[in-house]
Amino acid sequence: MRQIIPIVSRVLILVLATAGSSFAQANPDWTEPFPPFRIAGNLYYVGSKGLANYLVTTPQGNILINSDLEANVPMIEASIEKLGFKFKDTRILLISHAHWDHDAGSAMIKGLTGATYMVMDADVPVVESGGKTDFAYGSSPTTLYRPTKVDRVLHDGDEVRLGGTVLVAHLTPGHTKGCTTWTMQVTERGKTYNVLILGSPNMNPGYKLVDNSAYPQIAEDYERMWRVLKSLPCDIFLGAHGSYFGLEEKYPLMKDANAIPFVDPGSYKRYIAQKEQDFRTELARQKLTAK
Ligand SMILES: [Zn+2]
């Protein structure tokens, strides 16, 4: 046993040390371009293969969800312009949650567009410290980024309104303290759809659900998230990573002009049920080990 512990801690140190910028190398799909396209109504996909970004267009300018790594920003700009919109028309910047793969490019985007940055209350200290106050990654230098001033602090249930479009911020905590699931409605060919952009239902490697002094209420927060996610209406299932909702599998189906392949309430329900099951298994395991 004594021999195993140093090996385990060495592996852990290695994992944490490579967790940040080299995450991009470890996850090459994060910076791999993906064709931009209209999902439905005034909602567009402008992300990479691995990191999802959404553009909501309105007559009074546009809303961008997620800023990704700084390396992604030129790709996001190119995707927006390719669709015929102007990157400079980005009026509001939102995020899924305060992790570098979704928010490290925010300072750059604010600087380039002058967008108003709106973040859920419990994620604000993390964003404004450039990741330093994150309960899991704060002391891992490679996951830090440029601290970014938040212009509007959001609270659970707050609405973000622009040019007739309304997005609602739902606090779905656990993965981060202010993890946010966004909902909105889009109209496509006379039909209205409920869109849900999932913040993150995941427990990352090393997440402590029991006796976590940096995040004592983490397990209760995950419980709250399952309740909220199961209560929200979802026709069009989207999320912070394309892998949540099958971006690569569904995108080719857009060729059929009559199809909106992202309308998939069944897969949303199955995905959440599976993630909740994973959480319960891991919580039980950690409780047993903690005894
Ligand atoms: Zn994350």
Side-chain angles (χ1 to χ4, degrees):
M1 197 61 196
R2 274 203 193 124
Q3 282 166 325
I4 293 170
I5 291 163
I7 294 167
V8 168
S9 41
R10 274 205 296 276
V11 169
L12 192 68
I13 287 161
L14 193 71
V15 167
L16 291 175
T18 55
S21 52
S22 50
F23 247 127
Q25 283 120 48
N27 299 278
D29 62 343
W30 283 7
T31 47
E32 190 178 325
F34 197 85
F37 63 96
R38 194 171 70 87
I39 298 165
N42 59 338
L43 175 64
Y44 297 79
Y45 187 84
V46 294
S48 67
K49 193 170 159 190
L51 297 178
N53 302 84
Y54 303 94
L55 188 76
V56 180
T57 61
T58 91
Q60 277 153 38
N62 305 325
I63 301 168
L64 177 65
I65 302 178
N66 291 327
S67 60
D68 308 351
L69 310 171
E70 286 196 339
N72 291 77
V73 173
M75 270 191 281
I76 298 168
E77 175 172 6
S79 292
I80 290 172
E81 305 271 335
K82 204 170 164 188
L83 289 167
F85 303 109
K86 290 202 164 35
F87 185 52
K88 278 201 166 15
D89 287 342
T90 307
R91 298 274 177 272
I92 296 172
L93 176 63
L94 308 173
I95 56 169
S96 291
H97 61 267
H99 276 160
W100 63 100
D101 50 333
H102 310 291
D103 72 351
S106 293
M108 189 185 264
I109 291 178
K110 276 187 74 176
L112 290 168
T113 66
T116 304
Y117 194 25
M118 305 183 184
V119 175
M120 185 65 83
D121 42 19
D123 267 356
V124 169
V126 180
V127 165
E128 294 198 330
S129 68
K132 278 195 185 131
T133 60
D134 183 85
F135 75 92
Y137 300 108
S139 55
S140 167
T142 47
T143 65
L144 304 181
Y145 46 90
R146 275 205 271 165
T148 314
K149 172 95 180 67
V150 172
D151 304 301
R152 179 185 164 194
V153 177
L154 299 171
H155 307 286
D156 183 31
D158 274 359
E159 293 180 346
V160 171
R161 291 175 173 268
L162 187 71
T165 293
V166 183
L167 280 108
V168 182
H170 303 273
L171 176 65
T172 49
H175 182 75
T176 66
K177 294 178 181 177
C179 187
T180 307
T181 293
W182 290 100
T183 58
M184 65 179 286
Q185 291 193 322
V186 292
T187 305
E188 180 71 25
R189 277 162 276 171
K191 208 171 162 219
T192 301
Y193 296 93
N194 291 302
V195 176
L196 183 144
I197 303 173
L198 180 59
S200 174
N202 292 320
M203 291 158 294
N204 281 6
Y207 267 31
K208 272 185 78 178
L209 303 174
V210 178
D211 300 329
N212 186 336
S213 57
Y215 191 175
Q217 78 283 17
I218 184 167
E220 289 87 339
D221 274 6
Y222 271 102
E223 297 287 3
R224 174 189 175 140
M225 175 173 69
W226 307 125
R227 279 198 305 275
V228 172
L229 292 179
K230 285 188 275 189
S231 75
L232 293 174
C234 172
D235 303 312
I236 295 181
F237 174 30
L238 304 168
H241 292 277
S243 56
Y244 295 175
F245 57 92
L247 170 71
E248 286 178 73
E249 295 74 33
K250 287 175 178 167
Y251 169 69
L253 307 175
M254 294 291 293
K255 280 196 302 261
D256 178 354
N258 293 314
I260 311 173
F262 298 92
V263 176
D264 196 352
S267 88
Y268 172 70
K269 287 203 179 79
R270 285 191 299 277
Y271 187 75
I272 295 306
Q274 182 60 56
K275 290 291 169 181
E276 184 181 358
Q277 185 57 52
D278 295 348
F279 165 79
R280 304 225 168 277
T281 305
E282 180 60 15
L283 182 62
R285 193 191 65 78
Q286 289 194 21
K287 277 184 172 163
L288 207 64
T289 327
K291 269 182 191 161

